Amino acid sequence: MSTATQPSPTAAGSGANATEAFRSVRHETADVSPERVSTVVSAVLQGVHQAIRDNDVTYPEFQAAKAWLIEVGEGGEWPLFLDVFVEHVVEEVAARTQQGTKGSILGPYYLPNAKRLPSSTDLPMRADEKGTQLTFTGQVRDVDGNPVAGAELDIWHADDKGYYSGFAPDIPEGNLRGVVVTDDQGRFEIRTMQPAPYQIPTDGPTGALISAADWHPWRPAHLHLLVGAPGHRTITTQLYFEGGEYLDSDVAEATKPELVLSPQEQSDGTRKATYDFVLERG
Ligand code: MBD
Ligand code: FE
């Protein structure tokens, strides 16, 4: 491998980029009443207070926590930390009132305005993109089983080393990202490269916490998707790979059994996976 000459993505680089990316997306934000702020923030603080009592947390530990929190902010790692350790529970609550394909977390590496692509397409990739070719096909339907023509699959994923374009040096802008539009039968066929598992950057504060706690920093290999169409609720989800490493120990706890692809090995060494999405009206 020629990694010696290639700068590795640093936590500082990807963390700061994730903060910038978060600010660039018009996320729906809540207009929160004082009662709601008081209720939820009190509950969060009570949880912290109780953890301190239950574990006899000391002054040195309190100051270490304060120093670490400052570093998370300075390193721009709040999107990374929150999406890895908290978002899955927000998604769990949202899922209580959702029909159709199961959702999963958005994560910190979504970028808006990816290239629009036809229903049968290659994802943008480097001429020498490494990895195993993956053809990902399927259909988008509504809850009554009708195909949804012109649905948009906004797809993004890591490369064969687990790095995302926009969050690592030397990967072209828009690499392995695209908005694929389904055909008149709601179908799509996306040719891409199988992603590798993702490792939380070990050189930043989130990585430092993970190693201080002796946890592992890995997410199983995954595809990210936003699937939507006019008149339908947009689904935020991820798809995983049967037999993949870390499927049962995702550091972000974002896997679901319904979201695991079963890729079939083809005679030419490429892999083929199929998944159908179901959108509820809304
Ligand atoms: C990822 O690639 C990811 O999907 C999540 C949720 C958190 C960190 C990195
Ligand atoms: Fe991811």
Side-chain angles (χ1 to χ4, degrees):
M1 282 204 291
S2 63
T3 46
T5 55
Q6 299 243 326
S8 289
T10 61
S14 56
N17 286 181
T19 295
E20 205 180 300
F22 175 80
R23 287 183 167 144
S24 79
V25 177
R26 280 180 294 105
H27 292 280
E28 199 184 325
T29 52
D31 187 10
V32 191
S33 71
E35 292 74 19
R36 179 75 174 160
V37 174
S38 180
T39 300
V40 176
V41 176
S42 293
V44 170
L45 291 173
Q46 276 169 28
V48 173
H49 300 162
Q50 205 52 45
I52 294 168
R53 286 190 197 102
D54 290 349
N55 297 283
D56 301 318
V57 172
T58 63
Y59 260 99
E61 287 169 337
F62 173 59
Q63 304 303 8
K66 208 185 288 179
W68 178 83
L69 286 161
I70 291 166
E71 281 175 31
V72 174
E74 285 177 351
E77 285 200 4
W78 279 117
L80 176 69
F81 175 80
L82 289 169
D83 294 353
V84 168
F85 291 111
V86 180
E87 187 181 357
H88 69 96
V89 189
V90 182
E91 196 285 324
E92 176 189 312
V93 171
R96 291 175 187 163
T97 56
Q98 291 174 174
Q99 263 71 58
T101 299
K102 296 277 183 217
S104 185
I105 65 180
L106 179 69
Y109 299 143
Y110 174 66
L111 290 173
N113 309 124
K115 190 173 180 200
R116 263 179 90 85
L117 300 163
S119 62
S120 177
T121 187
D122 293 347
L123 274 194
M125 66 179 78
R126 291 162 281 193
D128 62 345
E129 192 73 44
K130 302 287 187 292
T132 304
Q133 275 185 54
L134 174 72
T135 303
F136 174 49
T137 65
Q139 187 183 37
V140 180
R141 295 189 292 266
D142 65 20
V143 285
D144 300 319
N146 305 305
V148 183
E152 294 186 355
L153 279 88
D154 198 335
I155 180 169
W156 70 103
H157 65 82
D159 68 9
D160 185 51
K161 287 183 176 162
Y163 298 137
Y164 285 86
S165 63
F167 301 92
D170 299 333
I171 303 179
E173 193 183 322
N175 205 247
L176 302 177
R177 295 173 183 271
V179 178
V180 179
V181 182
T182 60
D183 70 10
D184 56 5
Q185 283 304 305
R187 295 190 181 279
F188 61 88
E189 174 171 317
I190 302 167
R191 292 171 296 277
T192 187
M193 288 291 177
Q194 164 94 31
Y198 170 86
Q199 185 181 196
I200 308 287
T202 51
D203 59 326
T206 306
L209 169 69
I210 287 168
S211 75
D214 208 11
W215 301 333
H216 85 245
W218 292 94
R219 298 211 60 223
H222 56 279
L223 306 175
H224 288 272
L225 292 132
L226 294 174
V227 185
H232 301 265
R233 182 179 66 80
T234 297
I235 288 169
T236 303
T237 195
Q238 299 186 30
L239 294 172
Y240 304 90
F241 299 90
E242 196 173 70
E245 234 182 324
Y246 312 113
L247 253 187
D248 298 320
S249 63
D250 181 4
V251 65
E253 297 185 50
T255 64
K256 297 183 184 183
E258 300 88 346
L259 298 177
V260 180
L261 297 168
S262 304
Q264 301 301 310
E265 206 81 31
Q266 306 300 110
S267 51
D268 61 359
T270 70
R271 306 176 87 197
K272 236 182 184 145
T274 295
Y275 201 84
D276 295 342
F277 297 92
V278 177
L279 300 182
E280 66 176 322
R281 267 173 274 278

